[in-house]
Amino acid sequence: MAGTFSPDEARLDGNTSSQGQDDQHTGYTFALVSLTSLFFIWGFLTSLNDILIPHLKNVFSLSYTQAMLIQFCFFGAYFIVSLPAGRLVRKIGYQKGIVFGLIIAGVGCLAFYPAAALQAYPVFLGALFIMASGITLLQVSANPYVTALGSSETASGRLTMTQAFNSLGTTVAPLFGAVLILTAATTGLEQLSEAQFKAQEAQAVQGPYLMLAFSLMLLAFIFSRLNLPVIASHQQQTTQQKNVPGIWSHRHLMLGAIAIFVYVGAEVSIGSFLINFLGEDNIAGMAEAEAAALIAYYWGGAMVGRFIGAIIMQKVPAGKLLAVNALLATAMVVIAMSLSGHIAMYAILLVGLFNSVMFPTIFSLALRGLKHHTSQGSGILCLAIVGGAIVPLLQGILADNIGIQLSFILPLLCYLYIGYYGLFGSKAKSS
């Protein structure tokens, strides 16, 4: 009967024998291995925005607030697309959702070519929105899929492990962008007029994003041919059951959505301001290309922390680990705001290490016990990723008025809420 399956049941071949269970386990392992490529690519694309922000800020002579429209348009797509994407995934399944998401993201990358040729900032923002819409569909499809591929008790560890490959993408992307965008844009500028200089800077993004478009389309083709398990309990339900609480009655899901909002906002905001923060005379006084390479340490810390966190979570309750990491991140932000020089630089980079387990842990804790509401809950959580649009924009306004260093008060408040969610708000109960 619809809605009676547990979250970790799957419709494979109907075989309940030990041989069938072995086949099921093999299918799950293959699916998880395949999904790691998706986590890598959307982490790569998201982190590349940290290179675009200072780059386009120079090209179009933008204020911090205007430059943060890059993150506003990118993460604003999550707010607009997440719920429709959740409904779509319930109808067509996780695998087709992944394929469509990859294709849409590829189209967004292709749109960078005319944006650079036209040297039009609004066209860049439109391309980012299209690309982010595809990534949103990927998130709505892949995150709950990973939580369903096995026991619900180990879902946090599984999602943390796959998110580690997301962090690998965010670690590699700044190095890629520093070489192919920032360095390429400043090569051979001595003989150029100001107009030619701006044109070369704008066109520096064309080659890298064409390569990314090709990679996304290739992945879409590969995933359209894979034979992946179908999760029965997470498909759209055709029978309405009486006296079953609705999705909005789950308090831990609603508080989890707020936690996702502030977490993504804090993580993205810090990454967005890192190059400019490290360029401040009282911090490190670094050139953009040099500072861009250090962003890899911020995202690399998250990657290392996720591998470690996936192991620790086998022994430590996920909520407690989340709270500890949030308090340590808070301490690092306080140091970065209060001090100067290399101490402040290393403190802000260390925040990445403590960010590591936050997203997958919040996500899996918020989805715990939702059963047939899981895909809808995933859509709500992905909707909350709009924090990556709002918090950086608000910090941009603060930076324009009180300076970059003091503007980090906003991420600090975000981490304090995450600590509360880990200790108290993540307890699964319906209101």
Side-chain angles (χ1 to χ4, degrees):
M1 184 175 178
T4 59
F5 299 98
S6 65
D8 50 322
E9 287 179 309
R11 182 172 60 235
L12 293 171
D13 58 4
N15 192 342
T16 58
S17 66
S18 59
Q19 178 63 47
Q21 292 174 354
D22 290 341
D23 291 343
Q24 184 185 67
H25 178 75
T26 301
Y28 284 176
T29 301
F30 174 74
L32 286 169
V33 171
S34 302
L35 288 168
T36 57
S37 63
L38 301 180
F39 284 79
F40 175 88
I41 195 67
W42 85 54
F44 190 100
L45 291 169
T46 303
S47 181
L48 207 53
N49 289 349
D50 296 341
I51 303 299
L52 280 180
I53 287 168
H55 179 68
L56 296 183
K57 185 177 186 293
N58 288 337
V59 172
F60 297 105
S61 302
L62 306 171
S63 68
Y64 285 117
T65 306
Q66 291 170 326
M68 288 305 137
L69 289 175
I70 290 172
Q71 301 290 32
F72 185 81
C73 287
F74 186 89
F75 287 96
Y78 285 89
F79 184 78
I80 296 172
V81 176
S82 286
L83 291 181
R87 289 193 291 269
L88 177 64
V89 169
R90 288 202 306 276
K91 291 180 180 178
I92 67 175
Y94 294 128
Q95 185 169 358
K96 289 182 180 178
I98 288 168
V99 173
F100 287 147
L102 288 166
I103 292 172
I104 294 169
V107 171
C109 288
L110 287 175
F112 272 75
Y113 198 93
L118 294 170
Q119 297 180 50
Y121 188 49
V123 182
F124 273 109
L125 297 179
L128 281 163
F129 182 86
I130 295 170
M131 183 174 70
S133 297
I135 294 174
T136 303
L137 186 51
L138 285 179
Q139 292 253 29
V140 172
S141 302
N143 280 319
Y145 196 18
V146 170
T147 66
L149 291 172
S151 167
S152 59
E153 286 74 19
T154 58
S156 291
R158 249 186 343 271
L159 195 55
T160 298
M161 182 60 72
T162 51
Q163 284 283 343
F165 290 90
N166 177 273
S167 294
L168 178 61
T170 60
T171 302
V172 173
L175 302 175
F176 174 89
V179 173
L180 295 184
I181 296 178
L182 295 181
T183 303
T186 57
T187 302
L189 300 179
E190 296 80 6
Q191 307 85 0
L192 300 180
S193 66
E194 184 177 353
Q196 291 172 323
F197 169 79
K198 295 293 186 184
Q200 178 165 318
E201 276 200 314
Q203 291 165 8
V205 304
Q206 288 179 322
Y209 276 89
L210 280 179
M211 287 190 285
L212 289 170
F214 173 79
S215 300
L216 288 164
M217 295 299 183
L218 180 61
L219 273 175
F221 175 77
I222 292 172
F223 268 88
S224 70
R225 293 288 183 264
L226 294 180
N227 183 23
L228 299 178
V230 177
I231 306 301
S233 62
H234 292 189
Q235 299 301 307
Q236 184 179 27
Q237 304 300 310
T238 58
T239 305
Q240 286 290 337
Q241 291 183 315
K242 294 182 179 180
N243 302 321
V244 176
I247 189 69
W248 303 104
S249 67
H250 296 278
R251 176 177 174 272
H252 69 289
L253 172 65
M254 298 301 105
L255 294 178
I258 298 173
I260 289 287
F261 180 96
V262 297
Y263 163 70
V264 176
E267 181 190 50
V268 169
S269 199
I270 291 173
S272 300
F273 280 94
L274 267 179
I275 290 178
N276 295 110
F277 180 72
L278 297 180
E280 293 283 286
D281 291 335
N282 67 318
I283 303 298
M286 290 183 174
E288 286 183 356
E290 185 182 4
L294 283 183
I295 294 180
Y297 289 99
Y298 174 71
W299 296 109
M303 176 183 66
V304 172
R306 280 173 176 165
F307 282 117
I308 297 172
I311 298 171
I312 294 176
M313 266 185 217
Q314 306 303 316
K315 304 293 183 181
V316 178
K320 289 183 179 179
L321 185 62
L322 176 64
V324 169
N325 277 39
L327 293 177
L328 289 171
T330 301
M332 293 302 103
V333 176
V334 169
I335 293 172
M337 290 177 61
S338 306
L339 303 178
S340 59
H342 284 81
I343 295 177
M345 179 184 78
Y346 291 131
I348 202 67
L349 292 174
L350 269 173
V351 174
L353 177 65
F354 303 119
N355 279 340
S356 56
V357 301
M358 291 187 189
F359 183 88
T361 304
I362 296 168
F363 204 97
S364 56
L365 286 174
L367 291 182
R368 184 175 291 175
L370 296 190
K371 298 185 180 179
H372 60 277
H373 287 309
T374 297
S375 59
Q376 190 179 1
S378 175
I380 291 171
L381 294 178
C382 286
L383 187 75
I385 293 175
V386 73
I390 305 300
V391 175
L393 187 64
L394 293 177
Q395 189 173 349
I397 295 171
L398 288 176
D400 283 330
N401 288 279
I402 64 174
I404 293 179
Q405 195 167 13
L406 291 179
S407 71
F408 283 102
I409 184 67
L410 195 55
L412 185 151
L413 297 174
C414 293
Y415 288 123
L416 288 176
Y417 175 83
I418 294 168
Y420 157 77
Y421 182 73
L423 289 177
F424 307 108
S426 58
K427 307 300 182 184
K429 57 183 178 180
S430 296
S431 60

